Amino acid sequence: MTATSPEFVAGLVADADAAGITGFVAAAVISHDGRVLLVRRNPDDYMGGMWEIPSGTVEDGESILDAMHRETTEETGLTVDRITSYVGHFDYGNSRGGTTRQFNFAVTVERTEPVVLTEHDAYQWALPGELPEVSDAVRRLITA
């Protein structure tokens, strides 16, 4: 079963539902020349100033994969070309007091520049061993 198969994605959703997860986020780990694309949250946002991988909420009626494609384009201006693998998930407390599960997929993009930000104030291509201020979960994901 591949990371893009409907059965695999349905299993991710079923596992999260069984765990009582109240929110889903889809994320793209975009690598280029040994570096990972990171975007920085605006200072006045929830977790402002924190660096993260492009990600966003899975909307009602939207699949995890569709959300990952949409959010990557919305946040970076880049278009996902191919999902190469599912690289795991992590859970965190959200701003509404529930638990969100972030599903993370390694992807390739059609082109790596220009990165056009709409929701973040900066971006960088970071070496896994030289990450800026990211959450422990993102650090584990990138350096695994």
Side-chain angles (χ1 to χ4, degrees):
M1 215 175 342
T2 67
T4 58
S5 76
E7 299 82 12
F8 180 80
V9 175
L12 295 177
V13 171
D15 290 348
D17 286 342
I21 303 300
T22 57
F24 294 174
V25 165
V29 179
I30 305 168
S31 299
H32 177 66
D33 289 341
R35 297 173 186 267
V36 176
L37 179 62
L38 297 174
V39 291
R40 187 174 64 198
R41 297 181 74 87
N42 287 313
D44 53 347
D45 279 354
Y46 180 67
M47 297 185 350
M50 184 72 76
W51 290 87
E52 61 187 1
I53 56 177
S55 60
T57 302
V58 178
E59 304 292 342
D60 288 339
E62 185 177 43
S63 77
I64 294 168
L65 297 179
D66 288 344
M68 185 272 303
H69 281 269
R70 177 184 53 76
E71 287 288 348
T72 301
T73 300
E74 285 179 5
E75 292 189 357
T76 67
L78 303 178
T79 301
V80 172
D81 180 46
R82 192 167 66 89
I83 298 170
T84 57
S85 65
Y86 175 68
V87 293
H89 70 266
F90 55 84
D91 299 341
Y92 60 91
N94 60 41
S95 59
R96 298 169 305 285
T99 301
T100 294
R101 177 160 292 175
Q102 180 168 312
F103 301 96
N104 304 286
F105 297 87
V107 304
T108 60
V109 290
E110 291 178 358
R111 56 179 171 62
T112 56
E113 297 292 339
V115 175
V116 179
L117 300 176
T118 58
E119 301 175 19
H120 298 84
D121 68 353
Y123 77 93
Q124 67 173 287
W125 291 94
L127 290 169
E130 299 174 8
L131 298 176
E133 185 182 353
V134 296
S135 69
D136 291 341
V138 168
R139 184 174 304 280
R140 282 191 299 274
L141 183 73
I142 292 172
T143 58

